[in-house]
Amino acid sequence: MAKAAKRIPNNKEKAEAREGDEGKQLPQEAPIYGDVLETILTRLTLLDMVAASRVSKSWRGAVSTSLRISPRVKPWFIVHVLHHRNHSLTSACAFDPASRVWLRIDISDTHHFTANNNAASSASPALRSSHSQHLLYKLSAGSFSFSFDALHLTWHQAEAPLVWRQDPIVARLGSRVLVAGGTCDFVDDPLAVEMYDTGSRRWEACESMPVLLKDSATSTWLSTAATNNRLYLLEKRSHVICSFDAETKTWGPTFNLILSTNAPVSVFHSIIGFADDRLVLVGLMGEPEDLKDLGLWEVDQVTYECRKIGEMPPTMVESLKNANSRLSTPSASMEGDFIYIYNPSNPEQIFFCELNEGKCQWGNAVNSMANARNRMHRFVFTCSRVGMGDLQKAMATANRRLTVESEGDGF
């Protein structure tokens, strides 16, 4: 038997059906609150918390409560990738250890991060970083620009120091920025020191660096650590250390650090910084061609006595050794209670140590953004404590767009 054809409703019948549907009350979604909401928020990254705080007033309150209980303000490790020829910014990313995620940072105001292309490349100021209080800067013969907020949204513009410098030590001391050494051969005083005050917008001449540092007065050979009023300089190879007082504008005496090791190897390269409010030294042990171990020492800020506080696990030392080339020595950046260790010319893998109640908690993360395509590029590193306020400001200015790219293992 043939099947009857299905009748198609006419326009009047369709309209009556729509009116019937509109009269029905659709089920409302149950609001999320209490333990369920708290469980959701504990799984969000800090970046996602910004979006969650905009859902409703109750969610905004829940986010504030969650952050009070678990602040999640662990210092981010930020990488800026610059083109190896024209020093233009090609990309940027950050590792958030609290959420164990990598984030891509799209920067719209790239002129702050890019060298001036209207001058010869040798004269164009390339972006540089100081491991002193997450400072980024550009220095040329005619200008000096710098930024030290967490995501480098605000830049300060100043005249260049009176003394021309090629590879100076640059450090932030509270509201002041110190520039020392790194001068050209024709300069009368190769140890000249100047300090810029962001309040008065003026440069001040300070006492010259100790004569003992005459042959190493550049950022290549010296490591820095700074507080709001004191700068520490360490010669990376000889472990000679001294300090500068920002209030008196004078230098203290020099000392030779004595680093005890448990193995019959010496420390051939060292870096200092502040972690957990302590002056910490990262020491590479063995030989430049054969890294054996990596140790951490706390340095007394008055007596300069050194006390060993930890060592990198052997498996991580081997990974660091394999990732490092003979042409590049591992470097370190410190902020809060975190110490990041990486190969400055090829940061495909970073290592970090969190100082928690006197104990060293080690970890690592793979950054596949540093791939074969950009190994020829130049990397600039900072380490910053990024909070909700910093992210909200970045999104409000539209100069930064952050996206979570991957968990733990990089992009």
Side-chain angles (χ1 to χ4, degrees):
M1 182 184 297
K3 293 183 179 179
K6 184 177 181 181
R7 190 175 70 85
I8 300 174
N10 57 35
N11 292 338
K12 181 179 179 181
E13 290 172 332
K14 289 180 180 179
E16 291 175 351
R18 283 196 299 269
E19 290 176 1
D21 290 340
E22 291 174 358
K24 296 178 182 178
Q25 186 173 3
L26 298 176
Q28 295 183 351
E29 295 183 1
I32 302 174
Y33 57 88
D35 294 341
V36 176
L37 180 56
E38 289 179 7
T39 302
I40 292 174
L41 294 179
T42 58
R43 296 176 179 273
L44 297 183
T45 67
L46 189 63
L47 182 62
D48 293 328
M49 294 286 262
V50 176
S53 67
R54 298 174 177 175
V55 172
S56 65
K57 184 176 180 181
S58 61
W59 275 56
R60 184 164 58 251
V63 168
S64 299
T65 302
S66 178
L67 290 176
R68 280 198 300 270
I69 298 172
S70 178
R72 306 186 198 179
V73 186
K74 291 186 177 182
W76 289 15
F77 181 72
I78 304 175
V79 184
H80 296 89
V81 186
L82 307 179
H83 194 277
H84 67 284
R85 289 184 178 176
N86 58 19
H87 297 161
S88 61
L89 182 72
T90 62
S91 56
C93 65
F95 176 69
D96 176 8
S99 303
R100 293 285 302 185
V101 297
W102 283 94
L103 302 100
R104 183 178 296 278
I105 306 175
D106 294 318
I107 300 175
S108 60
D109 54 338
T110 56
H111 62 281
H112 289 308
F113 301 85
T114 301
N116 299 327
N117 293 322
N118 59 353
S121 60
S122 60
S124 300
L127 183 71
R128 299 189 179 190
S129 66
S130 168
H131 298 299
S132 162
Q133 301 193 9
H134 45 82
L135 173 69
L136 284 180
Y137 68 93
K138 292 197 302 181
L139 176 63
S140 70
S143 65
F144 178 53
S145 59
F146 57 93
S147 174
F148 46 71
D149 59 284
L151 292 174
H152 302 103
L153 301 173
T154 303
W155 282 78
H156 303 264
Q157 307 294 328
E159 295 181 352
L162 296 177
V163 178
W164 166 235
R165 308 163 189 274
Q166 291 181 318
D167 184 22
I169 295 94
V170 181
R172 174 196 171 198
L173 294 92
S175 61
R176 294 162 288 197
V177 179
L178 179 138
V179 180
T183 60
C184 302
D185 294 336
F186 57 81
V187 174
D188 293 334
D189 184 6
L191 299 171
V193 178
E194 297 172 79
M195 191 161 55
Y196 180 79
D197 190 306
T198 58
S200 65
R201 298 178 61 85
R202 294 181 178 179
W203 287 98
E204 294 182 272
C206 305
E207 181 184 11
S208 297
M209 298 169 65
V211 177
L212 190 60
L213 301 178
K214 183 178 180 180
D215 296 329
S216 59
T218 68
S219 63
T220 301
W221 301 109
L222 295 175
S223 177
T224 64
T227 64
N228 287 339
N229 53 26
R230 185 169 293 274
L231 170 70
Y232 294 88
L233 288 184
L234 175 73
E235 200 169 50
K236 297 176 182 178
R237 300 283 177 164
S238 68
H239 319 311
V240 170
I241 193 170
C242 62
S243 67
F244 173 82
D245 189 318
E247 299 301 327
T248 62
K249 304 179 182 63
T250 58
W251 294 87
T254 57
F255 294 87
N256 285 288
L257 296 183
I258 300 176
L259 304 174
S260 59
T261 62
N262 298 328
V265 292
S266 60
V267 176
F268 67 87
H269 186 87
S270 51
I271 305 161
I272 56 171
F274 276 97
D276 196 24
D277 295 324
R278 295 184 284 181
L279 183 59
V280 174
L281 182 145
V282 177
L284 305 179
M285 293 179 274
E287 300 292 337
E289 300 80 14
D290 186 16
L291 177 65
K292 295 292 187 183
D293 205 349
L294 185 147
L296 305 177
W297 287 263
E298 180 180 359
V299 182
D300 189 287
Q301 299 175 43
V302 178
T303 64
Y304 294 114
E305 292 182 358
C306 300
R307 180 179 66 86
K308 195 167 188 179
I309 58 177
E311 289 185 356
M312 177 181 277
T315 54
M316 288 190 182
V317 173
E318 194 63 27
S319 297
L320 177 62
K321 181 178 178 180
N322 293 337
N324 196 57
S325 68
R326 293 187 178 184
L327 299 178
S328 180
T329 303
S331 188
S333 297
M334 306 182 206
E335 178 71 17
D337 51 6
F338 264 71
I339 303 170
Y340 287 98
I341 300 164
Y342 51 90
N343 179 348
S345 63
N346 183 23
E348 288 186 0
Q349 187 173 19
I350 64 169
F351 306 86
F352 53 88
C353 174
E354 182 178 9
L355 299 178
N356 189 356
E357 297 181 353
K359 296 181 180 180
C360 297
Q361 298 178 344
W362 293 89
N364 67 300
V366 175
N367 175 14
S368 60
M369 182 177 182
N371 52 36
R373 290 178 299 174
N374 54 30
R375 283 180 183 173
M376 293 299 293
H377 293 338
R378 179 171 163 263
F379 300 93
V380 176
F381 307 93
T382 58
C383 186
S384 305
R385 280 186 261 199
V386 178
M388 279 280 289
D390 300 307
L391 293 175
Q392 289 169 337
K393 183 179 179 181
M395 294 176 182
T397 59
N399 287 332
R400 300 290 185 279
R401 186 167 66 88
L402 294 91
T403 53
V404 175
E405 292 290 338
S406 65
E407 298 183 2
D409 291 335
F411 298 130

